[in-house]
Amino acid sequence: MFVIATCKRDPDYFKIWLEIFISSYEQCLDVDFEKPPSRPDEVPPVLTLLPDNILQVLRHQLLQCVQKASDGLEPEQQNLALLLLKFLIIICRNLSNVEEIGTCSYINHIITMTTLYIQQLKSRTKEKEMMDHSQAEDFVRHSLAFCESLYDPYRNWRHRTSR
């Protein structure tokens, strides 16, 4: 589809497309583990209704983020990685997409990046504590929600802990 074909030529277009898609399904990004889960009014689309090759593009973009993460992600790359993660969470909120997403290498990439972020958060010095680490913390929180959407899509664990 046009969206995916142009993202290689203009990565900003792909980022805008992701932002628009995510804003349409923002209620599916329930990352507050302190409160009981809510059911979104609208279920995200099945993968077949999304642009062709979207999963390949996501995998490629996420792999690039992982490769750059070991050298230290720039704020723009951090933002892209978080957008990709949010997109995956939203897609997994449609239960018919969970199996296909779970069989891809997304979880490996997400775990790698989460580990790097956690190491970054743990190695804070007094100087670094002054810096804003909300991007890293936000990514870690969303990675937990992604794991939940893959391995506990009915949110049984969250229902039990909220009682």
Side-chain angles (χ1 to χ4, degrees), residues 23-150:
S23 69
S24 299
Y25 295 99
E26 194 78 38
Q27 73 277 8
C28 294
L29 294 173
D30 184 11
V31 295
D32 184 358
F33 294 100
E34 300 293 319
K35 66 176 184 132
S38 59
R39 287 207 80 152
D41 296 331
E42 192 172 348
V43 176
V46 292
L47 288 170
T48 56
L49 297 177
L50 294 172
D52 295 338
N53 300 326
I54 187 70
L55 294 181
Q56 291 84 359
V57 171
L58 285 171
R59 190 177 306 116
H60 177 72
Q61 294 289 322
L62 197 55
L63 181 59
Q64 284 184 334
C65 289
V66 169
Q67 290 169 344
K68 292 177 182 178
S70 59
D71 299 330
L73 281 176
E74 299 169 5
E76 187 174 314
Q77 282 295 110
Q78 289 179 347
N79 186 37
L80 176 61
L82 186 58
L83 285 173
L84 295 169
L85 181 54
K86 286 179 177 182
F87 180 85
L88 289 170
I89 293 167
I90 290 169
I91 292 302
C92 286
R93 293 299 183 208
N94 185 324
L95 297 179
S96 62
N97 297 330
V98 170
E99 185 177 346
E100 187 167 354
I101 297 297
T103 59
C104 298
S105 58
Y106 300 112
I107 189 67
N108 295 337
H109 299 322
I110 298 299
I111 296 296
T112 301
M113 288 196 60
T114 302
T115 303
L116 290 170
Y117 276 124
I118 289 172
Q119 289 171 347
Q120 175 188 0
L121 290 167
K122 284 175 51 178
S123 68
R124 290 192 230 188
T125 61
K126 290 283 184 194
E127 296 165 4
K128 288 183 181 179
E129 283 183 22
M130 303 305 251
M131 294 173 52
D132 183 19
H133 287 287
S134 62
Q135 187 82 7
E137 292 168 355
D138 204 25
F139 189 90
V140 171
R141 192 173 302 107
H142 280 85
S143 68
L144 291 172
F146 177 62
C147 290
E148 177 187 56
S149 66
L150 283 180

